[in-house]
Amino acid sequence: MTIRRLLLSALIAALAPVLSRALAVEPLRPPIPYRELELVLPRAVLGGREVSTARFTVAGDASRAADAIASAWRAAGARDVVRRDSGPWQIVSRIAGESVETAQLRDAAGGTSTGMISRWDAQPRPVKVTHHPRRLLPDDAALLDQVVSRDDARVAVTTVALVARGVAALSTEIGARARALGFVREPVVEAGTGGELDIAFYRKASRGDRAKANPGGAELVVTLERRGDRTAAVLHLVEEEAR
């Protein structure tokens, strides 16, 4: 099995509990004929607000498709429909109950357009995480990105950072921090002598059942890859939301 497939398998296993339930979220779709609709961001929390995003394809050019979406939303009684463009993107927004929906489209090959439709909650939705991935990283780690998604009581946090350490050294440091929080490491790819890549599962079972993951436990996938004199770290955590 190639390293790419190992990494993909690790991420799928970690994301599965959240994504399987996220598909039950209220449908997110454009109000015009479309094809190839795919939910790509289920109930993430960005900037303190919950957002879901779906990708889709429509026939015709992006400008006409955006106009059609604006007309459909206005006909449905939507408030404050705004139509604008930004570079190649044609954008339409509306207020929908307690949320804001935005459709963004751009021209694609073959007389079609690709689009993204997103629904943002108007009110902040703070998420509490017990074993935040930031706690596993050294203090000098440079955080590049972070995405939080939630489904019912389950929360997933993905943190991306660059650290001025070698892969093996950083793996050892993260491992020690994880063990201090009660996680057990299950290596997938070890850094070895090459020191270029390290992938590992970490699992913390609940007090009621340490034989398998269940409510109250947590699962973590850590991927470390050498980038010049630094290491890129991707930490994906799934756990029960702290109350």
Side-chain angles (χ1 to χ4, degrees), residues 61-145:
D61 64 74
S63 180
R64 289 186 180 181
D67 288 342
I69 290 174
S71 296
W73 278 348
R74 291 190 180 103
R79 295 183 293 131
D80 300 323
V81 176
V82 177
R83 170 76 172 88
R84 63 188 179 88
D85 63 290
S86 177
W89 290 98
Q90 306 294 315
I91 303 171
V92 190
S93 298
R94 69 163 180 169
I95 296 177
E98 298 299 320
S99 303
V100 175
E101 288 189 355
T102 299
Q104 302 168 263
L105 302 101
R106 64 184 301 172
D107 292 326
T112 64
S113 303
T114 58
M116 307 285 284
I117 182 166
S118 301
R119 180 185 297 125
W120 293 81
D121 279 1
Q123 299 300 319
R125 297 291 184 91
V127 175
K128 297 179 181 179
V129 183
T130 300
H131 308 99
H132 200 290
R134 184 65 183 88
R135 299 176 62 185
L136 302 174
L137 292 168
D139 293 339
D140 61 347
L143 297 183
L144 302 181
D145 200 4

Side-chain angles (χ1 to χ4, degrees), residues 131-159:
H131 308 99
H132 200 290
R134 184 65 183 88
R135 299 176 62 185
L136 302 174
L137 292 168
D139 293 339
D140 61 347
L143 297 183
L144 302 181
D145 200 4
Q146 178 172 283
V147 176
V148 180
S149 58
R150 176 179 53 195
D151 183 64
D152 296 327
R154 300 278 285 183
V155 60
V157 184
T158 300
T159 299

Side-chain angles (χ1 to χ4, degrees), residues 11-12 14-24 39-42 149 151:
L11 291 176
I12 289 174
L15 286 166
V18 172
L19 295 181
S20 61
R21 287 189 295 275
L23 295 176
L39 185 66
V40 295
L41 191 64
S149 58
D151 183 64

